[in-house]
Amino acid sequence: MVGVFYWSGTGNTEAMAQEVAAGIKAAGQDVELKSVSEISAEEAAKYDKLALGCADMGAEQLEEGEFEPWYTDLEKTISGKQVVLFGSYGWGGTWLDDWAERIKGAGASLVADPVAINGEADDDGKAKCQELGKALATA
Ligand SMILES: Cc1cc2nc3c(=O)[nH]c(=O)nc-3n(C[C@H](O)[C@H](O)[C@H](O)COP(=O)(O)O)c2cc1C
């Protein structure tokens, strides 16, 4: 079972999460798709393969009110897990680079490059999200 857990304010990252989940299923793995409001970090820590998504908020940051505390909890137990990252941004788009460094620093393995999409994913963006899911499922 692969976990796809995300934070999305206006639905763009949520739509990406659905495509990532579709890619995981297409690769033959079961998937649990949830917003971080629907699953505790403790529950999420039970998954060995995690696709994590968060929109670019604040000033090139993870969303601070809900996602950052959730992820900070998860990070304590993320060592050794296989992870991919994705999210939607508006004008910057560097938050996933910082997050990727954080993931590696916590001892998890990033199995593919993060996927950042400007605004709403078009068909090409959706395909990238599906590929990301497949990469995690088959890693
Ligand atoms: C309060 C707020 C802060 C934001 N800060 C950034 C930012 O620092 N850099 C950026 O590229 N986009 C920023 N954005 C734009 C969002 O990342 C963008 O609209 C994205 O598509 C939202 O994804 P979502 O639909 O999953 O919430 C911000 C949006 C809001 C509402």
Side-chain angles (χ1 to χ4, degrees):
M1 178 77 81
V2 181
V4 182
F5 307 130
Y6 65 91
W7 184 93
S8 181
T10 57
N12 293 332
T13 303
E14 181 175 21
M16 291 176 73
Q18 286 163 357
E19 299 299 333
V20 172
I24 292 166
K25 278 188 204 152
Q29 295 247 4
D30 288 334
V31 62
E32 184 86 329
L33 171 66
K34 283 186 188 298
S35 129
V36 294
S37 63
E38 299 170 318
I39 183 164
S40 66
E42 194 183 8
E43 278 296 312
K46 294 178 183 165
Y47 293 76
D48 292 330
K49 288 178 187 260
L50 290 163
L52 301 175
C54 183
D56 190 351
M57 299 292 283
E60 299 302 314
Q61 290 162 301
L62 297 172
E63 189 276 329
E64 286 183 303
E66 190 176 15
F67 191 84
E68 174 69 45
W70 184 92
Y71 174 68
T72 300
D73 264 5
L74 178 69
E75 196 174 47
K76 293 171 195 152
T77 54
I78 208 168
S79 178
K81 295 184 189 294
Q82 294 182 313
V83 179
V84 294
L85 302 178
F86 61 92
S88 174
Y89 67 97
W91 52 87
T94 59
W95 86 122
L96 286 188
D97 301 333
D98 297 337
W99 192 7
E101 287 308 312
R102 220 173 135 180
I103 291 275
K104 290 182 209 163
S109 144
L110 263 194
V111 301
D113 288 338
V115 173
I117 300 274
N118 191 348
E120 192 178 345
D122 60 10
D123 286 349
D124 181 53
K126 287 178 186 171
K128 281 185 182 147
C129 293
Q130 289 171 18
E131 285 305 316
L132 189 70
K134 281 183 198 165
L136 179 61
T138 58

